[in-house]
Amino acid sequence: QALLMQSGGGLVQAGGSLRLSCAASGSIVSINAMGWYRQAPGKQRELVASITSGGSTNYADSVKGRFTISRDNAKNTVYLQMSSLRPEDTAVYYCNADIITTLVLPRRNYWGQGTQVTVSS
């Protein structure tokens, strides 16, 4: 019983910046790992960045040094700060989270609704 609601995205010129947000709501006991994925037309969905509950991060090689993932546990929100954007970053971006909603059942995985990021050359 949890939802992920994304905000942000849009059209930006190459070299620009954009920040995506994803807020979890519902009967949340705890949130474990959170991450951002993206999917371009005709391509597989790929992991862009992830962050554990302890703050450890992981990035795809293609975005390392340009993107930063962070989370605000008080707001149950994960962010993706994207800088030095390239046309190759154009995709639908999805947030993802492993959320525990009860104390006895296993954690479940949730997806946000997705948001379009378009980088023009």
mmCIF file of all heavy atoms in Angstrom, residues 63-105:
data_model
loop_
_atom_site.group_PDB
_atom_site.id
_atom_site.type_symbol
_atom_site.label_atom_id
_atom_site.label_comp_id
_atom_site.label_asym_id
_atom_site.label_seq_id
_atom_site.Cartn_x
_atom_site.Cartn_y
_atom_site.Cartn_z
ATOM 1 N N VAL A 63 26.435 8.099 -16.795
ATOM 2 C CA VAL A 63 26.000 9.305 -16.095
ATOM 3 C C VAL A 63 26.916 9.686 -14.948
ATOM 4 O O VAL A 63 26.733 10.745 -14.335
ATOM 5 C CB VAL A 63 24.556 9.163 -15.564
ATOM 6 C CG1 VAL A 63 23.618 8.739 -16.687
ATOM 7 C CG2 VAL A 63 24.495 8.176 -14.404
ATOM 8 N N LYS A 64 27.881 8.862 -14.663
ATOM 9 C CA LYS A 64 28.779 9.114 -13.544
ATOM 10 C C LYS A 64 29.491 10.455 -13.714
ATOM 11 O O LYS A 64 30.031 10.758 -14.775
ATOM 12 C CB LYS A 64 29.787 7.974 -13.422
ATOM 13 C CG LYS A 64 30.553 7.946 -12.118
ATOM 14 C CD LYS A 64 31.363 6.650 -11.990
ATOM 15 C CE LYS A 64 30.459 5.431 -11.970
ATOM 16 N NZ LYS A 64 31.228 4.171 -11.789
ATOM 17 N N GLY A 65 29.471 11.247 -12.671
ATOM 18 C CA GLY A 65 30.082 12.560 -12.713
ATOM 19 C C GLY A 65 29.152 13.654 -13.163
ATOM 20 O O GLY A 65 29.473 14.846 -13.013
ATOM 21 N N ARG A 66 28.004 13.297 -13.718
ATOM 22 C CA ARG A 66 27.042 14.281 -14.201
ATOM 23 C C ARG A 66 25.738 14.262 -13.411
ATOM 24 O O ARG A 66 25.102 15.297 -13.225
ATOM 25 C CB ARG A 66 26.723 14.046 -15.678
ATOM 26 C CG ARG A 66 27.938 14.136 -16.589
ATOM 27 C CD ARG A 66 27.530 14.060 -18.060
ATOM 28 N NE ARG A 66 26.900 12.786 -18.391
ATOM 29 C CZ ARG A 66 25.649 12.660 -18.853
ATOM 30 N NH1 ARG A 66 24.899 13.740 -19.039
ATOM 31 N NH2 ARG A 66 25.159 11.458 -19.143
ATOM 32 N N PHE A 67 25.341 13.094 -12.954
ATOM 33 C CA PHE A 67 24.094 12.940 -12.212
ATOM 34 C C PHE A 67 24.401 12.683 -10.745
ATOM 35 O O PHE A 67 25.412 12.059 -10.406
ATOM 36 C CB PHE A 67 23.272 11.768 -12.743
ATOM 37 C CG PHE A 67 22.688 11.965 -14.113
ATOM 38 C CD1 PHE A 67 23.048 13.038 -14.912
ATOM 39 C CD2 PHE A 67 21.762 11.059 -14.600
ATOM 40 C CE1 PHE A 67 22.508 13.210 -16.177
ATOM 41 C CE2 PHE A 67 21.211 11.212 -15.861
ATOM 42 C CZ PHE A 67 21.581 12.287 -16.655
ATOM 43 N N THR A 68 23.513 13.137 -9.885
ATOM 44 C CA THR A 68 23.638 12.889 -8.457
ATOM 45 C C THR A 68 22.299 12.435 -7.900
ATOM 46 O O THR A 68 21.289 13.115 -8.083
ATOM 47 C CB THR A 68 24.103 14.143 -7.705
ATOM 48 O OG1 THR A 68 25.367 14.571 -8.209
ATOM 49 C CG2 THR A 68 24.242 13.838 -6.212
ATOM 50 N N ILE A 69 22.300 11.304 -7.239
ATOM 51 C CA ILE A 69 21.097 10.816 -6.590
ATOM 52 C C ILE A 69 21.187 11.125 -5.103
ATOM 53 O O ILE A 69 22.256 11.025 -4.497
ATOM 54 C CB ILE A 69 20.892 9.304 -6.837
ATOM 55 C CG1 ILE A 69 19.534 8.848 -6.299
ATOM 56 C CG2 ILE A 69 22.024 8.484 -6.232
ATOM 57 C CD1 ILE A 69 19.164 7.420 -6.696
ATOM 58 N N SER A 70 20.080 11.513 -4.522
ATOM 59 C CA SER A 70 20.029 11.806 -3.102
ATOM 60 C C SER A 70 18.639 11.472 -2.583
ATOM 61 O O SER A 70 17.711 11.246 -3.357
ATOM 62 C CB SER A 70 20.374 13.273 -2.826
ATOM 63 O OG SER A 70 19.447 14.144 -3.454
ATOM 64 N N ARG A 71 18.509 11.442 -1.276
ATOM 65 C CA ARG A 71 17.203 11.151 -0.692
ATOM 66 C C ARG A 71 17.005 11.952 0.575
ATOM 67 O O ARG A 71 17.955 12.278 1.286
ATOM 68 C CB ARG A 71 17.037 9.651 -0.424
ATOM 69 C CG ARG A 71 18.028 9.066 0.577
ATOM 70 C CD ARG A 71 17.991 7.536 0.558
ATOM 71 N NE ARG A 71 16.763 7.003 1.124
ATOM 72 C CZ ARG A 71 16.397 5.719 1.051
ATOM 73 N NH1 ARG A 71 17.165 4.844 0.404
ATOM 74 N NH2 ARG A 71 15.268 5.314 1.605
ATOM 75 N N ASP A 72 15.763 12.262 0.834
ATOM 76 C CA ASP A 72 15.352 12.942 2.047
ATOM 77 C C ASP A 72 14.412 11.986 2.766
ATOM 78 O O ASP A 72 13.242 11.863 2.399
ATOM 79 C CB ASP A 72 14.666 14.264 1.726
ATOM 80 C CG ASP A 72 14.318 15.068 2.965
ATOM 81 O OD1 ASP A 72 14.182 14.487 4.057
ATOM 82 O OD2 ASP A 72 14.179 16.299 2.842
ATOM 83 N N ASN A 73 14.922 11.308 3.760
ATOM 84 C CA ASN A 73 14.132 10.291 4.430
ATOM 85 C C ASN A 73 12.928 10.871 5.176
ATOM 86 O O ASN A 73 11.898 10.212 5.311
ATOM 87 C CB ASN A 73 15.010 9.497 5.393
ATOM 88 C CG ASN A 73 16.027 8.639 4.665
ATOM 89 O OD1 ASN A 73 15.782 8.180 3.551
ATOM 90 N ND2 ASN A 73 17.174 8.411 5.297
ATOM 91 N N ALA A 74 13.058 12.087 5.665
ATOM 92 C CA ALA A 74 11.947 12.718 6.362
ATOM 93 C C ALA A 74 10.772 12.963 5.428
ATOM 94 O O ALA A 74 9.620 12.988 5.858
ATOM 95 C CB ALA A 74 12.394 14.027 7.010
ATOM 96 N N LYS A 75 11.067 13.149 4.144
ATOM 97 C CA LYS A 75 10.027 13.393 3.153
ATOM 98 C C LYS A 75 9.733 12.175 2.295
ATOM 99 O O LYS A 75 8.898 12.250 1.394
ATOM 100 C CB LYS A 75 10.425 14.561 2.247
ATOM 101 C CG LYS A 75 10.568 15.890 2.954
ATOM 102 C CD LYS A 75 10.956 16.984 1.974
ATOM 103 C CE LYS A 75 11.078 18.321 2.657
ATOM 104 N NZ LYS A 75 11.468 19.396 1.707
ATOM 105 N N ASN A 76 10.415 11.070 2.568
ATOM 106 C CA ASN A 76 10.264 9.855 1.760
ATOM 107 C C ASN A 76 10.436 10.154 0.273
ATOM 108 O O ASN A 76 9.681 9.676 -0.567
ATOM 109 C CB ASN A 76 8.903 9.199 2.012
ATOM 110 C CG ASN A 76 8.785 8.601 3.396
ATOM 111 O OD1 ASN A 76 9.761 8.104 3.964
ATOM 112 N ND2 ASN A 76 7.590 8.636 3.962
ATOM 113 N N THR A 77 11.437 10.931 -0.023
ATOM 114 C CA THR A 77 11.637 11.419 -1.381
ATOM 115 C C THR A 77 13.054 11.139 -1.868
ATOM 116 O O THR A 77 14.014 11.272 -1.112
ATOM 117 C CB THR A 77 11.362 12.927 -1.461
ATOM 118 O OG1 THR A 77 10.007 13.181 -1.066
ATOM 119 C CG2 THR A 77 11.560 13.451 -2.876
ATOM 120 N N VAL A 78 13.151 10.760 -3.124
ATOM 121 C CA VAL A 78 14.432 10.581 -3.776
ATOM 122 C C VAL A 78 14.531 11.572 -4.925
ATOM 123 O O VAL A 78 13.533 11.879 -5.586
ATOM 124 C CB VAL A 78 14.620 9.126 -4.266
ATOM 125 C CG1 VAL A 78 13.578 8.763 -5.318
ATOM 126 C CG2 VAL A 78 16.032 8.918 -4.806
ATOM 127 N N TYR A 79 15.727 12.088 -5.143
ATOM 128 C CA TYR A 79 15.959 13.082 -6.175
ATOM 129 C C TYR A 79 17.024 12.598 -7.147
ATOM 130 O O TYR A 79 17.893 11.803 -6.796
ATOM 131 C CB TYR A 79 16.439 14.403 -5.569
ATOM 132 C CG TYR A 79 15.539 14.975 -4.503
ATOM 133 C CD1 TYR A 79 15.766 14.689 -3.163
ATOM 134 C CD2 TYR A 79 14.477 15.801 -4.836
ATOM 135 C CE1 TYR A 79 14.949 15.217 -2.175
ATOM 136 C CE2 TYR A 79 13.656 16.333 -3.853
ATOM 137 C CZ TYR A 79 13.893 16.034 -2.530
ATOM 138 O OH TYR A 79 13.080 16.560 -1.556
ATOM 139 N N LEU A 80 16.949 13.105 -8.348
ATOM 140 C CA LEU A 80 18.000 12.892 -9.322
ATOM 141 C C LEU A 80 18.349 14.243 -9.922
ATOM 142 O O LEU A 80 17.562 14.809 -10.674
ATOM 143 C CB LEU A 80 17.578 11.920 -10.420
ATOM 144 C CG LEU A 80 18.674 11.559 -11.420
ATOM 145 C CD1 LEU A 80 19.776 10.754 -10.728
ATOM 146 C CD2 LEU A 80 18.109 10.775 -12.598
ATOM 147 N N GLN A 81 19.512 14.757 -9.557
ATOM 148 C CA GLN A 81 20.005 16.002 -10.113
ATOM 149 C C GLN A 81 20.820 15.672 -11.353
ATOM 150 O O GLN A 81 21.823 14.970 -11.267
ATOM 151 C CB GLN A 81 20.859 16.750 -9.092
ATOM 152 C CG GLN A 81 21.472 18.040 -9.618
ATOM 153 C CD GLN A 81 20.436 19.083 -9.951
ATOM 154 O OE1 GLN A 81 19.559 19.365 -9.140
ATOM 155 N NE2 GLN A 81 20.516 19.650 -11.146
ATOM 156 N N MET A 82 20.389 16.177 -12.483
ATOM 157 C CA MET A 82 21.035 15.885 -13.752
ATOM 158 C C MET A 82 21.674 17.154 -14.293
ATOM 159 O O MET A 82 21.005 18.168 -14.468
ATOM 160 C CB MET A 82 20.031 15.331 -14.761
ATOM 161 C CG MET A 82 19.286 14.095 -14.270
ATOM 162 S SD MET A 82 18.153 13.424 -15.506
ATOM 163 C CE MET A 82 16.920 14.729 -15.540
ATOM 164 N N SER A 83 22.953 17.081 -14.553
ATOM 165 C CA SER A 83 23.707 18.211 -15.076
ATOM 166 C C SER A 83 24.448 17.789 -16.330
ATOM 167 O O SER A 83 24.615 16.600 -16.604
ATOM 168 C CB SER A 83 24.696 18.737 -14.026
ATOM 169 O OG SER A 83 24.029 19.164 -12.859
ATOM 170 N N SER A 84 24.906 18.784 -17.075
ATOM 171 C CA SER A 84 25.629 18.529 -18.326
ATOM 172 C C SER A 84 24.876 17.532 -19.198
ATOM 173 O O SER A 84 25.449 16.574 -19.720
ATOM 174 C CB SER A 84 27.043 18.025 -18.030
ATOM 175 O OG SER A 84 27.772 18.967 -17.267
ATOM 176 N N LEU A 85 23.598 17.776 -19.351
ATOM 177 C CA LEU A 85 22.746 16.836 -20.073
ATOM 178 C C LEU A 85 23.125 16.744 -21.545
ATOM 179 O O LEU A 85 23.527 17.734 -22.164
ATOM 180 C CB LEU A 85 21.283 17.235 -19.932
ATOM 181 C CG LEU A 85 20.663 16.876 -18.578
ATOM 182 C CD1 LEU A 85 19.382 17.660 -18.350
ATOM 183 C CD2 LEU A 85 20.394 15.373 -18.509
ATOM 184 N N ARG A 86 22.983 15.559 -22.068
ATOM 185 C CA ARG A 86 23.291 15.262 -23.459
ATOM 186 C C ARG A 86 22.054 14.723 -24.157
ATOM 187 O O ARG A 86 21.167 14.189 -23.509
ATOM 188 C CB ARG A 86 24.414 14.216 -23.540
ATOM 189 C CG ARG A 86 25.671 14.579 -22.775
ATOM 190 C CD ARG A 86 26.563 13.363 -22.591
ATOM 191 N NE ARG A 86 27.770 13.677 -21.860
ATOM 192 C CZ ARG A 86 28.623 12.771 -21.393
ATOM 193 N NH1 ARG A 86 28.400 11.478 -21.609
ATOM 194 N NH2 ARG A 86 29.703 13.161 -20.736
ATOM 195 N N PRO A 87 21.987 14.851 -25.477
ATOM 196 C CA PRO A 87 20.845 14.264 -26.194
ATOM 197 C C PRO A 87 20.661 12.779 -25.910
ATOM 198 O O PRO A 87 19.529 12.285 -25.924
ATOM 199 C CB PRO A 87 21.201 14.512 -27.666
ATOM 200 C CG PRO A 87 22.042 15.737 -27.636
ATOM 201 C CD PRO A 87 22.853 15.631 -26.375
ATOM 202 N N GLU A 88 21.733 12.080 -25.636
ATOM 203 C CA GLU A 88 21.670 10.662 -25.334
ATOM 204 C C GLU A 88 20.961 10.368 -24.017
ATOM 205 O O GLU A 88 20.615 9.215 -23.749
ATOM 206 C CB GLU A 88 23.081 10.056 -25.302
ATOM 207 C CG GLU A 88 23.798 10.056 -26.638
ATOM 208 C CD GLU A 88 24.319 11.421 -27.049
ATOM 209 O OE1 GLU A 88 24.625 12.241 -26.160
ATOM 210 O OE2 GLU A 88 24.412 11.679 -28.267
ATOM 211 N N ASP A 89 20.763 11.389 -23.200
ATOM 212 C CA ASP A 89 20.035 11.217 -21.949
ATOM 213 C C ASP A 89 18.525 11.241 -22.146
ATOM 214 O O ASP A 89 17.774 10.998 -21.195
ATOM 215 C CB ASP A 89 20.423 12.304 -20.947
ATOM 216 C CG ASP A 89 21.881 12.231 -20.541
ATOM 217 O OD1 ASP A 89 22.383 11.114 -20.299
ATOM 218 O OD2 ASP A 89 22.522 13.299 -20.454
ATOM 219 N N THR A 90 18.079 11.543 -23.338
ATOM 220 C CA THR A 90 16.652 11.602 -23.622
ATOM 221 C C THR A 90 16.007 10.243 -23.394
ATOM 222 O O THR A 90 16.428 9.232 -23.967
ATOM 223 C CB THR A 90 16.403 12.060 -25.063
ATOM 224 O OG1 THR A 90 16.879 13.394 -25.227
ATOM 225 C CG2 THR A 90 14.921 12.016 -25.398
ATOM 226 N N ALA A 91 14.989 10.210 -22.548
ATOM 227 C CA ALA A 91 14.315 8.965 -22.204
ATOM 228 C C ALA A 91 13.169 9.274 -21.259
ATOM 229 O O ALA A 91 13.010 10.405 -20.787
ATOM 230 C CB ALA A 91 15.289 7.987 -21.544
ATOM 231 N N VAL A 92 12.372 8.259 -20.995
ATOM 232 C CA VAL A 92 11.406 8.331 -19.910
ATOM 233 C C VAL A 92 12.105 7.826 -18.658
ATOM 234 O O VAL A 92 12.671 6.732 -18.656
ATOM 235 C CB VAL A 92 10.150 7.497 -20.195
ATOM 236 C CG1 VAL A 92 9.201 7.526 -19.001
ATOM 237 C CG2 VAL A 92 9.439 8.018 -21.437
ATOM 238 N N TYR A 93 12.060 8.613 -17.625
ATOM 239 C CA TYR A 93 12.728 8.273 -16.383
ATOM 240 C C TYR A 93 11.707 7.790 -15.358
ATOM 241 O O TYR A 93 10.653 8.395 -15.177
ATOM 242 C CB TYR A 93 13.485 9.480 -15.825
ATOM 243 C CG TYR A 93 14.765 9.768 -16.571
ATOM 244 C CD1 TYR A 93 14.739 10.253 -17.872
ATOM 245 C CD2 TYR A 93 16.007 9.535 -15.973
ATOM 246 C CE1 TYR A 93 15.911 10.498 -18.570
ATOM 247 C CE2 TYR A 93 17.185 9.780 -16.667
ATOM 248 C CZ TYR A 93 17.133 10.264 -17.962
ATOM 249 O OH TYR A 93 18.296 10.508 -18.646
ATOM 250 N N TYR A 94 12.045 6.707 -14.686
ATOM 251 C CA TYR A 94 11.171 6.101 -13.695
ATOM 252 C C TYR A 94 11.890 5.997 -12.357
ATOM 253 O O TYR A 94 13.048 5.596 -12.306
ATOM 254 C CB TYR A 94 10.753 4.690 -14.107
ATOM 255 C CG TYR A 94 10.006 4.589 -15.410
ATOM 256 C CD1 TYR A 94 10.687 4.452 -16.616
ATOM 257 C CD2 TYR A 94 8.615 4.609 -15.432
ATOM 258 C CE1 TYR A 94 10.001 4.346 -17.814
ATOM 259 C CE2 TYR A 94 7.923 4.500 -16.625
ATOM 260 C CZ TYR A 94 8.622 4.367 -17.810
ATOM 261 O OH TYR A 94 7.940 4.256 -18.998
ATOM 262 N N CYS A 95 11.199 6.329 -11.297
ATOM 263 C CA CYS A 95 11.771 6.061 -9.986
ATOM 264 C C CYS A 95 11.299 4.699 -9.508
ATOM 265 O O CYS A 95 10.280 4.169 -9.956
ATOM 266 C CB CYS A 95 11.426 7.157 -8.966
ATOM 267 S SG CYS A 95 9.683 7.290 -8.531
ATOM 268 N N ASN A 96 12.052 4.142 -8.598
ATOM 269 C CA ASN A 96 11.785 2.802 -8.104
ATOM 270 C C ASN A 96 12.171 2.746 -6.630
ATOM 271 O O ASN A 96 13.126 3.400 -6.213
ATOM 272 C CB ASN A 96 12.588 1.782 -8.914
ATOM 273 C CG ASN A 96 12.391 0.364 -8.440
ATOM 274 O OD1 ASN A 96 13.102 -0.106 -7.546
ATOM 275 N ND2 ASN A 96 11.438 -0.328 -9.033
ATOM 276 N N ALA A 97 11.430 1.968 -5.868
ATOM 277 C CA ALA A 97 11.743 1.853 -4.449
ATOM 278 C C ALA A 97 11.277 0.525 -3.893
ATOM 279 O O ALA A 97 10.243 -0.011 -4.306
ATOM 280 C CB ALA A 97 11.101 2.997 -3.662
ATOM 281 N N ASP A 98 12.052 0.006 -2.965
ATOM 282 C CA ASP A 98 11.660 -1.157 -2.185
ATOM 283 C C ASP A 98 11.087 -0.644 -0.874
ATOM 284 O O ASP A 98 11.789 0.007 -0.101
ATOM 285 C CB ASP A 98 12.854 -2.069 -1.913
ATOM 286 C CG ASP A 98 13.377 -2.725 -3.168
ATOM 287 O OD1 ASP A 98 12.560 -3.074 -4.042
ATOM 288 O OD2 ASP A 98 14.615 -2.893 -3.278
ATOM 289 N N ILE A 99 9.819 -0.955 -0.631
ATOM 290 C CA ILE A 99 9.104 -0.381 0.493
ATOM 291 C C ILE A 99 8.492 -1.476 1.351
ATOM 292 O O ILE A 99 7.881 -2.409 0.836
ATOM 293 C CB ILE A 99 8.002 0.584 0.016
ATOM 294 C CG1 ILE A 99 8.613 1.694 -0.843
ATOM 295 C CG2 ILE A 99 7.255 1.171 1.204
ATOM 296 C CD1 ILE A 99 7.586 2.619 -1.466
ATOM 297 N N ILE A 100 8.654 -1.335 2.649
ATOM 298 C CA ILE A 100 8.004 -2.214 3.614
ATOM 299 C C ILE A 100 6.775 -1.507 4.144
ATOM 300 O O ILE A 100 6.877 -0.407 4.699
ATOM 301 C CB ILE A 100 8.955 -2.583 4.761
ATOM 302 C CG1 ILE A 100 10.176 -3.329 4.228
ATOM 303 C CG2 ILE A 100 8.230 -3.424 5.801
ATOM 304 C CD1 ILE A 100 11.226 -3.602 5.282
ATOM 305 N N THR A 101 5.617 -2.141 3.978
ATOM 306 C CA THR A 101 4.364 -1.540 4.430
ATOM 307 C C THR A 101 3.769 -2.252 5.634
ATOM 308 O O THR A 101 2.841 -1.741 6.253
ATOM 309 C CB THR A 101 3.328 -1.509 3.297
ATOM 310 O OG1 THR A 101 3.100 -2.837 2.818
ATOM 311 C CG2 THR A 101 3.821 -0.639 2.147
ATOM 312 N N THR A 102 4.275 -3.420 5.968
ATOM 313 C CA THR A 102 3.874 -4.133 7.174
ATOM 314 C C THR A 102 5.125 -4.681 7.835
ATOM 315 O O THR A 102 6.195 -4.738 7.226
ATOM 316 C CB THR A 102 2.902 -5.289 6.903
ATOM 317 O OG1 THR A 102 3.607 -6.413 6.363
ATOM 318 C CG2 THR A 102 1.799 -4.867 5.945
ATOM 319 N N LEU A 103 4.964 -5.110 9.075
ATOM 320 C CA LEU A 103 6.103 -5.632 9.819
ATOM 321 C C LEU A 103 6.332 -7.123 9.597
ATOM 322 O O LEU A 103 7.363 -7.653 10.021
ATOM 323 C CB LEU A 103 5.919 -5.359 11.315
ATOM 324 C CG LEU A 103 5.934 -3.891 11.731
ATOM 325 C CD1 LEU A 103 5.633 -3.770 13.220
ATOM 326 C CD2 LEU A 103 7.282 -3.264 11.418
ATOM 327 N N VAL A 104 5.412 -7.804 8.939
ATOM 328 C CA VAL A 104 5.532 -9.248 8.784
ATOM 329 C C VAL A 104 5.665 -9.709 7.334
ATOM 330 O O VAL A 104 6.153 -10.807 7.087
ATOM 331 C CB VAL A 104 4.339 -9.982 9.443
ATOM 332 C CG1 VAL A 104 4.338 -9.744 10.943
ATOM 333 C CG2 VAL A 104 3.019 -9.521 8.841
ATOM 334 N N LEU A 105 5.246 -8.908 6.392
ATOM 335 C CA LEU A 105 5.320 -9.283 4.990
ATOM 336 C C LEU A 105 6.601 -8.761 4.350
ATOM 337 O O LEU A 105 7.155 -7.757 4.792
ATOM 338 C CB LEU A 105 4.106 -8.763 4.219
ATOM 339 C CG LEU A 105 2.751 -9.325 4.643
ATOM 340 C CD1 LEU A 105 1.637 -8.701 3.827
ATOM 341 C CD2 LEU A 105 2.733 -10.839 4.506
#
